[in-house]
Amino acid sequence: MPEIAFREALRMTLREELLADERVVLMGEDIGAYGGSYAVTKGFQQEFGPERVIDTPISEEVIVGCGIGAAMGGLRPMVELMTINFSLLAFDQIVNNAAKICYMSAGQFHVPLVIRMASGAGSQLSSQHSQSMEGWFAHIPGLKVVVPYTPYDARGLLKTAFRDPNPVIFIEHTALYSRKGEVPDGDYALPFGQADVLRKGDDVTLIGYSGSVYQATLAADLLAQDEISAEVLNLRTLRPLDIDAILTSVRKTNRAVVIEDDWKFGGFAGEIAAIIMEQAFDDLDAPVARVCGTDTPIPYAKELEQAALPQPQQIAGAAKGLF
Amino acid sequence: MPEIAFREALRMTLREELLADERVVLMGEDIGAYGGSYAVTKGFQQEFGPERVIDTPISEEVIVGCGIGAAMGGLRPMVELMTINFSLLAFDQIVNNAAKICYMSAGQFHVPLVIRMASGAGSQLSSQHSQSMEGWFAHIPGLKVVVPYTPYDARGLLKTAFRDPNPVIFIEHTALYSRKGEVPDGDYALPFGQADVLRKGDDVTLIGYSGSVYQATLAADLLAQDEISAEVLNLRTLRPLDIDAILTSVRKTNRAVVIEDDWKFGGFAGEIAAIIMEQAFDDLDAPVARVCGTDTPIPYAKELEQAALPQPQQIAGAAKGLF
Amino acid sequence: MTQLAEKPDVKELEKPQLIEMLRQMLLIRRFEEKTAEMYSRSKIAGFLHLYIGEEAVAVGAINALNDDDQIVTHYRDHGHALARGIEPERIMAELFGKDTGVSRGKGGSMHLFDAKRSFMGGYAIVGGQLPLACGLAFANQRLRNGRIVLCIFGDGAVNEGAFHESLNLASVWKLPIIFLCENNFFGMGTDIRYVSAVIEVYKRAEAYAIPAEQVDGMDALAMYEVTQRLARHVRAGYGPAFLEAITFRFRGHSMADPELYRKKEEVQRWRGLDPITALRKQLDARGAIDDAAFEALQQDVEEVVNEAVRFAEESPKPPAEALYSNVYYEEPAADA
Amino acid sequence: MTQLAEKPDVKELEKPQLIEMLRQMLLIRRFEEKTAEMYSRSKIAGFLHLYIGEEAVAVGAINALNDDDQIVTHYRDHGHALARGIEPERIMAELFGKDTGVSRGKGGSMHLFDAKRSFMGGYAIVGGQLPLACGLAFANQRLRNGRIVLCIFGDGAVNEGAFHESLNLASVWKLPIIFLCENNFFGMGTDIRYVSAVIEVYKRAEAYAIPAEQVDGMDALAMYEVTQRLARHVRAGYGPAFLEAITFRFRGHSMADPELYRKKEEVQRWRGLDPITALRKQLDARGAIDDAAFEALQQDVEEVVNEAVRFAEESPKPPAEALYSNVYYEEPAADA
Ligand SMILES: Cc1ncc(C[n+]2csc(CCOP(=O)(O)OP(=O)(O)O)c2C)c(N)n1
Ligand SMILES: Cc1ncc(C[n+]2csc(CCOP(=O)(O)OP(=O)(O)O)c2C)c(N)n1
Ligand SMILES: [Mg+2]
Ligand SMILES: [Mg+2]
């Protein structure tokens, strides 16, 4: 299989959707003339025209609301929010409209909308530009939340997002855009709610999603040096969450570490830990460990920022602490 | 001690603050001429004048941002957001400014701001007006999150909020406003981060905050009928969270049920459950149970809405399930 | 969607059409008086925002639209729903929280929806429906279906960021929307003069280069005339239009409102301008109605409203499973 | 706060003051050229937004203010910080992520703060600083301290809801704010003509009844003159004023910008209007500077910038504990 970058996997899929369905339109800040702040839509406006690939004003609330209305009105829109940090300005539209219109109208209307956004820290962008709020979206009934790790995930899950009749929040960790991975030429789609066992192991399960899966794999390497065989689970979607895959792995390894860039306190890692302990209590040899971002905003200085994020050594250390 | 309503406890305290400190100003939608949508500030504008008790436009983002700036500029503002549902429109200001300015400026500026808002479901206001997002605020480093249950809590914690140099999110469950409780005449303040053992018990710990504590007490009554002695813990603040009080109680009862109106998946109850299992794993006779809102938006119809919220029977049932 | 013929000019309105508009206004009035009664009898709960006094706005504007034009509005939506022709009994049933309601009891008063009539919903976050209107209009523009959107909101919504972002986007993209501001001078208990830098709301549309007009919202025929004119402009592809209707709500903001913020006299003065009396006079002048006919209309409306209550009363509650349905899209059942 | 004397009228500016303004512009230019160099050498990371080409806006406006007036701005803030007199070495150290930086390495380029100089911060959420400006001005109004707020943002920020809500509130409450829009015609890679319904930004202030002017942002003295005039008006309690400065950024939006969206010729044309050359000519005309003096200034600035780099290089990194400090307010240490 050919190796392509995460960004390429997204581009390939978006192009296919634009070609396949007239009703597909892409809207967002700087996705056209500028080419997308992470170059995901580079060249698309030239290829598909400003009617299909549309530069919007810097108005997050109406960009998202417009996507919702367009979806209700019969189009198949994809809205790009540049980064997850700016989604806070559109939170009302996402939580109170996108996630509730189908319910409040008793199914008379629904919202087939894909909202893409870049997430994560690590590029020294300081506090306002380095957040990871995947867990907040996952908390909301009515939404689906997709967090790909590999290029293969990105392509297969984005396909599914465009087939889903519900609002889908599609989150891309900025550290992944240039990472390569195998992606089949052919068309394929990955179902939501199916995690991927990235690496098989017997002693401990390392659970991550999006960028944190990478840290988990590095931690698994470290553990291997100490003869600890770690299984690495890539969740792929947070809502729906593949609870079976999590429990199956933990019932085998009897130990788990959940890794998340976001703040630990009140974060999504706590949900995963709680579910495991609720449903596999007697299978656990030790409480589930969480390795997350520090309880601070993200600072600019490189060393401070790195210290604020989960590191492979920490993850490996937490895993060893379970023995 | 005299019995007064939760609302009265808030009014008494706000009046004291207005009288005590010229720099205290109250801003919000309809807090003046209308008297406050929950009548908490009724009569204040007449008493203190429109310069101290200020009706704002319906502009949540600038109301909160203005409160932040005013706090940075030397005032002691209190902003009322009417309901927690509307706070979504001000989320960017709360998360990216209020919670981060002290950090980003390395302490050169800070934000002594109190933001009050009503929360909760149960009045048939349907999906957009019935949310409980306390956990989202609790997730954010830089904020403090206060969730009073009794009038005594309300008065003592609001006092402390006005003494705190940081942004404090003060959340009032609408079902509590008219509930009465003992409040001493004298001035007193309750420290943040100290939970209240509302009822002593030996067999199971029921953990709640704000409105859910009431459901917990009713459940405790039901359990008493079956000779199960439940300890009821009223958290009072979510950030800081009184982890010691939680662990102390659970180490005694060896069982815990966490009750929350908010959606279970990815909610704050999961954090509490995770903390207990992380730190008192060997003291638990059963996994921590969670009784929360159903994974749906809140519907209008009475029976459906009630079914969407934690009920005493469910809580009692969950508690019995731990034996 | 079948594209329907445009409505006639106001001068060409025939007697039956004029009578129908008057009937709709009487229906809204009587329907809401009844809901207030049912609210006090706890048949209806939650927030109930009455439209009494503003009937001419909804009736005049909505009758001037094509039947497949879309309407998106706020929580004060009974009048708009009735003017759009949604069955009174299905609205009453919604307020009663019954399974036969337009939103099957899930939405209640603030969230009326009817897909069949392109009634895209009542929304309860002030200003939250304006971005949706942009999207609906954007879809119409792309699908070239000839439909336009009527987006209704109040004077209070004008100060929300969503208003600004929506008007700018609609103007830049030339979206087919009529922005209809129901200016009743109060946002809840707050007088527009204390919170809006420019109280002639239509003037704020200039900042977005959107043609704007102000109209007497107590005059149904004036509402009809201007709405139809703007609809033509918008439908022709010239972009959005803005309409400020001057009106007044005779009742409190909601049933909970103690109305401490305004004088009885002010309310009385406005009650003197009752839009129903006004339209009746206009029809009288056109010889379109006599006292007997008017009483017949009242009779008719009275029965319709009582029937609506009976229907709502007798309708079943939503089944317990309804709590869990429609969180995500479900394939429609055969009958739908 | 000690209330300082107002600055002289532009005509009364003495030679030293004029020279100082030119020096500041040269300093900003050289300082930023150096930061670009340091960025390519990975001494600076994250986003780096250069102000090159826009120097006259910051220098003209900020020199016209009292020293205790507050400034709140966006992420493109080096120019504003330097014009306010913040030590270049402490800014460079911030960009280097050092403990000696103005924000002790926590904020970086987008978040410069200096409480001692009433520099209330650079903010990176577009439009997010406007509501803060309202609050700061509100506090000044209540404390009657005679201070006003200069709130700086770009043409792209004008389409955010926060812009609308802030201008309306500032107008209704008559807040002492000068809203300064740096209109460089692009929001990142997006041409204002494609996203703004009204491209003459100052005209949008009319929707809030705020007096507004447009000024040549490439002319430091014109900036000084109009800012001082508006400052008087605002300080006198007449409410906010709006100023649109027409300017252009000679470099990309940030170091990452491939600049696919604009023509080299357009950039060249603007470079022909270099604000530094322009001010030098004006001073020349006033006989305030000769070539020798100009070269001396360049020399001086060169040394200051090199010294700033040396200082930044040699400064210590923040201690590991710094990650955890300032999340909540801490009592200032004795020296602070
Ligand atoms: C975002 C938001 N803020 C506040 C409220 C509370 N609220 C409900 S209606 C209303 C007044 C709206 O006034 P206006 O837009 O003039 O409409 P009217 O009720 O007068 O028809 C307010 C403040 C809300 N529902 N949503
Ligand atoms: C809310 C928000 N949306 C988007 C961005 C990404 N972004 C950063 S700067 C910028 C352009 C701003 O343009 P303008 O206001 O004209 O300022 P300029 O950069 O031209 O000085 C954008 C879109 C952001 N930082 N915040
Ligand atoms: Mg109104
Ligand atoms: Mg710009």
Side-chain angles (χ1 to χ4, degrees):
Chain A
M1 277 197 282
E3 284 231 333
I4 65 171
F6 189 92
R7 175 184 290 105
E8 271 314 310
L10 294 171
R11 289 172 55 72
M12 190 190 286
T13 312
L14 288 173
R15 276 196 73 253
E16 285 168 359
E17 293 303 316
L18 282 161
L19 290 166
D21 186 348
E22 265 294 317
R23 299 168 313 136
V24 170
V25 291
L26 313 189
M27 303 186 256
E29 294 161 14
D30 292 298
I31 66 170
Y34 189 91
S37 33
Y38 292 97
V40 172
T41 54
K42 193 167 176 184
F44 282 16
Q45 194 173 62
Q46 289 86 321
E47 180 176 1
F48 297 98
E51 298 274 296
R52 303 285 307 282
V53 179
I54 312 162
D55 281 316
T56 65
I58 308 173
S59 312
E60 287 73 15
E61 197 173 351
V62 78
I63 293 169
V64 170
C66 183
I68 297 167
M72 290 170 78
L75 297 182
R76 199 72 182 73
M78 190 280 311
V79 161
E80 180 178 308
L81 270 181
M82 200 176 283
T83 90
I84 199 167
N85 306 283
F86 317 146
S87 73
L88 292 177
L89 288 160
F91 237 56
D92 171 67
Q93 286 295 325
I94 294 170
V95 175
N96 281 322
N97 285 344
K100 294 179 172 56
I101 283 171
C102 184
Y103 193 79
M104 297 192 299
S105 70
Q108 292 182 81
F109 297 102
H110 63 288
V111 182
L113 170 67
V114 178
I115 304 178
R116 288 180 45 250
M117 56 187 82
S119 176
S123 326
Q124 289 191 253
L125 303 184
S126 192
S127 309
Q128 295 185 325
H129 271 60
S130 305
Q131 297 170 96
S132 311
M133 307 175 298
E134 292 84 354
W136 280 355
F137 293 109
H139 183 48
I140 303 161
L143 300 182
K144 301 202 176 174
V145 181
V146 183
V147 285
Y149 167 57
T150 66
Y152 178 74
D153 295 342
R155 176 153 162 65
L157 293 169
L158 187 52
K159 262 278 143 96
T160 305
F162 273 97
R163 301 279 165 283
D164 199 292
N166 301 290
V168 176
I169 309 293
F170 195 94
I171 301 169
E172 305 154 11
H173 194 293
T174 53
L176 300 177
Y177 282 122
S178 302
R179 291 178 48 83
K180 297 196 158 182
E182 292 192 334
V183 174
D185 293 320
D187 194 358
Y188 70 98
L190 291 174
F192 290 169
Q194 275 187 26
D196 169 36
V197 180
L198 203 71
R199 186 184 302 204
K200 290 221 155 297
D202 307 315
D203 306 331
V204 59
T205 304
L206 306 182
I207 303 168
Y209 63 86
S210 187
S212 67
V213 179
Y214 180 61
Q215 308 302 327
T217 58
L218 296 181
D221 294 339
L222 294 176
L223 289 166
Q225 296 167 13
D226 301 329
E227 264 75 54
I228 297 174
S229 141
E231 182 147 299
V232 177
L233 205 59
N234 162 19
L235 294 175
R236 281 187 177 155
T237 63
L238 297 185
R239 178 180 275 268
L241 180 67
D242 190 350
I243 296 175
D244 292 347
I246 294 170
L247 297 179
T248 305
S249 178
V250 173
R251 293 210 166 96
K252 178 178 66 175
T253 63
N254 311 114
R255 296 177 186 82
V257 181
V258 186
I259 304 108
E260 183 171 47
D261 288 0
D262 197 7
W263 303 301
K264 178 180 185 176
F265 190 74
F268 194 74
E271 178 65 36
I272 298 173
I275 288 174
I276 294 173
M277 295 194 265
E278 282 164 0
Q279 301 186 40
F281 194 65
D282 300 329
D283 299 297
L284 289 172
D285 290 349
V288 176
R290 291 183 280 169
V291 179
C292 306
T294 54
D295 200 44
T296 69
I298 302 282
Y300 164 73
K302 189 184 185 65
E303 291 74 13
L304 295 184
E305 181 184 37
Q306 286 307 309
L309 302 170
Q311 299 302 328
Q313 297 75 1
Q314 277 174 285
I315 301 165
K320 289 185 205 160
L322 304 180
F323 289 86
Chain B
M1 278 196 280
E3 284 232 333
I4 65 171
F6 189 92
R7 175 184 292 104
E8 269 315 308
L10 295 171
R11 289 172 55 72
M12 190 190 285
T13 314
L14 289 173
R15 274 195 75 253
E16 285 169 357
E17 293 303 316
L18 281 161
L19 289 167
D21 186 348
E22 265 295 318
R23 298 168 312 135
V24 170
V25 291
L26 314 190
M27 302 187 256
E29 294 161 13
D30 291 299
I31 67 170
Y34 189 92
S37 32
Y38 292 97
V40 172
T41 54
K42 194 167 175 182
F44 283 16
Q45 194 174 61
Q46 290 85 321
E47 180 175 1
F48 298 97
E51 297 274 298
R52 303 284 308 282
V53 180
I54 311 162
D55 282 316
T56 65
I58 308 172
S59 312
E60 287 73 14
E61 198 173 350
V62 78
I63 293 170
V64 171
C66 182
I68 297 168
M72 291 170 77
L75 297 183
R76 200 67 182 76
M78 189 285 303
V79 161
E80 180 178 307
L81 270 181
M82 200 176 284
T83 90
I84 199 167
N85 306 283
F86 316 146
S87 72
L88 292 177
L89 287 160
F91 238 56
D92 171 66
Q93 287 295 326
I94 295 170
V95 175
N96 281 322
N97 285 343
K100 294 178 172 53
I101 283 171
C102 184
Y103 195 79
M104 297 193 299
S105 70
Q108 292 183 78
F109 297 102
H110 64 287
V111 183
L113 170 67
V114 177
I115 304 178
R116 287 180 46 250
M117 56 187 83
S119 176
S123 328
Q124 290 191 252
L125 303 184
S126 193
S127 309
Q128 295 185 324
H129 272 58
S130 305
Q131 297 170 97
S132 310
M133 306 173 298
E134 292 84 354
W136 280 354
F137 293 109
H139 183 48
I140 303 161
L143 300 182
K144 301 205 177 172
V145 181
V146 183
V147 285
Y149 167 57
T150 66
Y152 179 74
D153 295 343
R155 176 154 162 65
L157 293 169
L158 188 53
K159 261 277 142 95
T160 305
F162 273 95
R163 302 280 166 281
D164 199 291
N166 301 289
V168 176
I169 310 294
F170 195 94
I171 301 168
E172 305 155 11
H173 195 294
T174 53
L176 300 177
Y177 282 122
S178 302
R179 290 178 50 80
K180 296 199 156 175
E182 291 192 335
V183 174
D185 293 320
D187 195 358
Y188 70 99
L190 291 173
F192 290 169
Q194 276 189 25
D196 169 37
V197 179
L198 203 70
R199 187 184 302 205
K200 289 220 156 295
D202 305 314
D203 307 331
V204 59
T205 305
L206 306 182
I207 303 167
Y209 63 86
S210 186
S212 67
V213 179
Y214 180 62
Q215 307 304 327
T217 57
L218 297 181
D221 294 339
L222 294 176
L223 289 166
Q225 295 167 12
D226 300 331
E227 265 75 51
I228 296 175
S229 139
E231 181 146 300
V232 177
L233 205 59
N234 163 18
L235 293 175
R236 280 186 176 157
T237 62
L238 299 185
R239 179 181 273 271
L241 180 67
D242 189 351
I243 295 175
D244 291 348
I246 295 171
L247 297 179
T248 305
S249 178
V250 172
R251 292 209 168 98
K252 177 178 65 175
T253 63
N254 311 112
R255 294 177 189 78
V257 181
V258 185
I259 305 108
E260 182 170 50
D261 288 359
D262 198 7
W263 302 301
K264 178 180 186 175
F265 191 75
F268 193 75
E271 178 64 37
I272 298 173
I275 288 174
I276 294 172
M277 295 195 265
E278 281 164 1
Q279 302 187 38
F281 194 66
D282 300 330
D283 299 297
L284 289 171
D285 290 349
V288 176
R290 292 184 280 168
V291 180
C292 307
T294 53
D295 200 43
T296 69
I298 303 282
Y300 165 72
K302 190 183 183 69
E303 292 74 10
L304 295 184
E305 182 184 36
Q306 287 306 311
L309 302 170
Q311 299 301 328
Q313 297 76 3
Q314 276 174 286
I315 301 165
K320 289 186 206 159
L322 303 180
F323 290 86
Chain C
M1 279 294 169
T2 53
Q3 172 62 35
L4 298 118
E6 280 202 16
K7 300 297 176 72
D9 285 355
V10 70
K11 284 176 220 55
E12 291 146 18
L13 280 172
E14 312 261 328
K15 183 173 163 182
Q17 295 162 312
L18 293 165
I19 300 263
E20 170 56 17
M21 284 171 70
L22 183 58
R23 194 192 65 81
Q24 287 179 17
M25 288 172 68
L26 284 165
L27 174 61
I28 295 171
R29 178 70 55 94
R30 197 69 198 97
F31 182 92
E32 290 209 312
E33 287 167 349
K34 183 66 74 175
T35 60
E37 181 189 327
M38 292 299 131
Y39 192 90
S40 56
R41 287 177 42 200
S42 304
K43 297 288 186 180
I44 299 173
F47 288 151
L48 184 69
H49 305 90
L50 301 185
Y51 196 65
I52 291 176
E54 309 186 24
E55 296 91 343
V57 180
V59 171
I62 294 171
N63 278 272
L65 299 178
N66 291 354
D67 295 352
D68 66 346
D69 288 332
Q70 295 145 320
I71 295 171
V72 56
T73 182
H74 53 179
Y75 47 85
R76 192 180 303 281
D77 56 358
H78 309 157
H80 310 126
L82 289 165
R84 187 22 90 93
I86 301 178
E87 304 86 341
E89 63 272 22
R90 291 180 60 228
I91 300 173
M92 191 65 80
E94 186 61 33
L95 306 194
F96 275 56
K98 297 301 183 76
D99 196 40
T100 53
V102 286
S103 306
R104 307 202 62 175
K106 286 179 172 174
S109 165
M110 302 196 288
H111 304 294
L112 303 176
F113 288 85
D114 189 349
K116 290 210 184 65
R117 292 186 181 75
S118 301
F119 196 80
M120 314 306 287
Y123 295 86
I125 301 298
V126 168
Q129 74 276 29
L130 278 77
L132 300 182
C134 291
L136 292 163
F138 176 79
N140 293 339
Q141 184 183 61
R142 292 310 160 90
L143 299 171
R144 297 193 176 65
N145 59 19
R147 298 163 74 181
I148 69 172
V149 176
L150 178 67
C151 178
I152 305 168
F153 52 92
D155 50 285
V158 168
N159 296 321
E160 286 282 12
F163 170 89
H164 177 69
E165 297 187 4
S166 299
L167 266 70
N168 182 62
L169 193 79
S171 178
V172 172
W173 290 359
K174 294 199 172 313
L175 300 177
I177 307 176
I178 296 175
F179 290 103
L180 171 56
C181 179
E182 298 180 323
N183 183 359
N184 57 17
F185 302 104
F186 288 90
M188 211 160 147
T190 303
D191 189 317
I192 184 171
R193 288 169 299 180
Y194 302 141
V195 290
S196 288
V198 172
I199 63 173
E200 283 163 300
V201 177
Y202 76 99
K203 290 190 176 168
R204 299 180 79 158
E206 286 170 17
Y208 314 95
I210 295 177
E213 296 191 34
Q214 192 181 58
V215 60
D216 176 2
M218 308 306 271
D219 179 342
L221 297 182
M223 281 301 308
Y224 184 100
E225 188 280 329
V226 64
T227 304
Q228 196 201 32
R229 195 154 36 76
L230 296 179
R232 281 223 186 82
H233 173 91
V234 168
R235 205 182 303 278
Y238 296 113
F242 190 96
L243 180 59
E244 173 187 8
I246 300 297
T247 183
F248 202 80
R249 59 170 161 72
F250 294 171
R251 300 293 197 97
H253 168 69
S254 71
M255 298 303 286
D257 181 359
E259 287 189 77
L260 306 169
Y261 51 86
R262 61 183 192 182
K263 295 210 180 55
K264 294 255 170 308
E265 302 69 51
E266 187 181 12
V267 181
Q268 277 317 320
R269 197 166 61 252
W270 278 94
R271 281 180 179 277
L273 306 171
D274 192 305
I276 294 180
T277 322
L279 183 60
R280 180 183 178 178
K281 283 217 188 75
Q282 289 167 303
L283 266 58
D284 211 3
R286 291 191 187 203
I289 193 167
D290 57 20
D291 295 3
F294 186 77
E295 274 144 36
L297 276 185
Q298 286 182 303
Q299 259 311 318
D300 164 40
V301 162
E302 189 65 30
E303 281 155 29
V304 171
V305 171
N306 291 335
E307 168 56 22
V309 171
R310 196 190 55 68
F311 176 84
E313 285 273 17
E314 294 172 3
S315 290
K317 290 174 178 170
E321 323 81 73
L323 171 61
Y324 301 95
S325 61
N326 308 124
V327 176
Y328 293 96
Y329 177 71
E330 296 150 17
E331 285 305 325
D335 69 294
Chain D
M1 278 297 166
T2 54
Q3 173 61 35
L4 298 118
E6 279 201 20
K7 299 296 174 73
D9 285 354
V10 69
K11 285 178 222 53
E12 293 147 17
L13 280 173
E14 311 263 328
K15 184 172 163 183
Q17 296 161 312
L18 292 166
I19 299 267
E20 170 56 18
M21 284 172 69
L22 183 57
R23 193 192 66 81
Q24 288 179 16
M25 286 173 69
L26 284 166
L27 173 62
I28 295 170
R29 178 71 54 93
R30 197 68 198 98
F31 181 92
E32 290 209 312
E33 287 168 350
K34 184 65 77 175
T35 61
E37 181 189 330
M38 292 298 131
Y39 192 89
S40 54
R41 288 178 39 200
S42 305
K43 297 287 186 179
I44 298 174
F47 288 151
L48 184 71
H49 305 89
L50 301 186
Y51 196 65
I52 292 176
E54 309 186 24
E55 296 91 344
V57 179
V59 171
I62 294 171
N63 279 273
L65 298 178
N66 291 354
D67 295 352
D68 66 347
D69 288 332
Q70 294 145 320
I71 295 171
V72 56
T73 182
H74 53 178
Y75 48 87
R76 193 180 302 282
D77 58 357
H78 310 157
H80 311 127
L82 288 166
R84 183 27 84 96
I86 301 178
E87 304 85 341
E89 63 272 22
R90 290 182 59 230
I91 300 172
M92 189 65 80
E94 186 60 34
L95 306 194
F96 275 56
K98 297 300 183 77
D99 197 39
T100 54
V102 285
S103 306
R104 308 202 61 176
K106 285 179 173 175
S109 165
M110 302 196 288
H111 304 295
L112 303 176
F113 288 85
D114 188 349
K116 290 209 183 67
R117 292 185 179 75
S118 301
F119 196 80
M120 313 306 286
Y123 295 86
I125 300 298
V126 169
Q129 73 276 31
L130 278 78
L132 299 183
C134 290
L136 292 163
F138 176 80
N140 293 339
Q141 184 184 62
R142 292 312 161 91
L143 298 171
R144 297 192 179 67
N145 59 19
R147 298 163 75 180
I148 69 171
V149 177
L150 177 67
C151 178
I152 305 168
F153 52 93
D155 49 286
V158 168
N159 296 320
E160 286 281 14
F163 170 89
H164 176 69
E165 296 187 4
S166 299
L167 266 71
N168 182 64
L169 192 80
S171 178
V172 172
W173 290 359
K174 292 201 175 309
L175 300 177
I177 307 176
I178 296 176
F179 290 102
L180 171 57
C181 179
E182 300 180 322
N183 183 0
N184 58 16
F185 303 104
F186 288 90
M188 210 158 151
T190 303
D191 188 318
I192 185 172
R193 288 169 298 179
Y194 303 142
V195 291
S196 288
V198 172
I199 63 174
E200 283 164 299
V201 177
Y202 76 98
K203 290 189 176 170
R204 300 180 79 159
E206 287 171 17
Y208 314 95
I210 296 177
E213 296 190 35
Q214 193 180 58
V215 59
D216 177 1
M218 308 305 271
D219 179 342
L221 296 182
M223 281 300 309
Y224 183 101
E225 188 280 329
V226 65
T227 304
Q228 196 201 33
R229 192 152 39 73
L230 295 179
R232 280 222 187 83
H233 174 90
V234 168
R235 205 182 303 277
Y238 296 113
F242 191 95
L243 180 59
E244 172 188 8
I246 301 297
T247 183
F248 202 80
R249 60 169 159 73
F250 294 172
R251 300 293 197 97
H253 168 69
S254 72
M255 298 304 286
D257 182 359
E259 287 190 76
L260 306 169
Y261 51 85
R262 63 183 191 182
K263 296 207 183 55
K264 295 255 169 306
E265 300 71 52
E266 187 181 12
V267 181
Q268 277 316 319
R269 197 167 60 253
W270 279 94
R271 282 182 179 275
L273 306 171
D274 192 305
I276 295 181
T277 320
L279 183 60
R280 181 183 178 179
K281 283 218 190 74
Q282 290 167 304
L283 265 60
D284 211 3
R286 293 191 186 200
I289 192 167
D290 57 20
D291 295 3
F294 186 76
E295 273 143 37
L297 276 185
Q298 286 182 303
Q299 260 311 319
D300 164 41
V301 162
E302 188 65 30
E303 280 155 29
V304 170
V305 171
N306 292 334
E307 168 56 22
V309 170
R310 197 191 53 68
F311 176 84
E313 285 273 16
E314 294 173 3
S315 289
K317 290 173 178 170
E321 322 83 72
L323 170 61
Y324 301 96
S325 62
N326 308 125
V327 176
Y328 294 96
Y329 177 72
E330 296 150 18
E331 285 306 324
D335 69 295

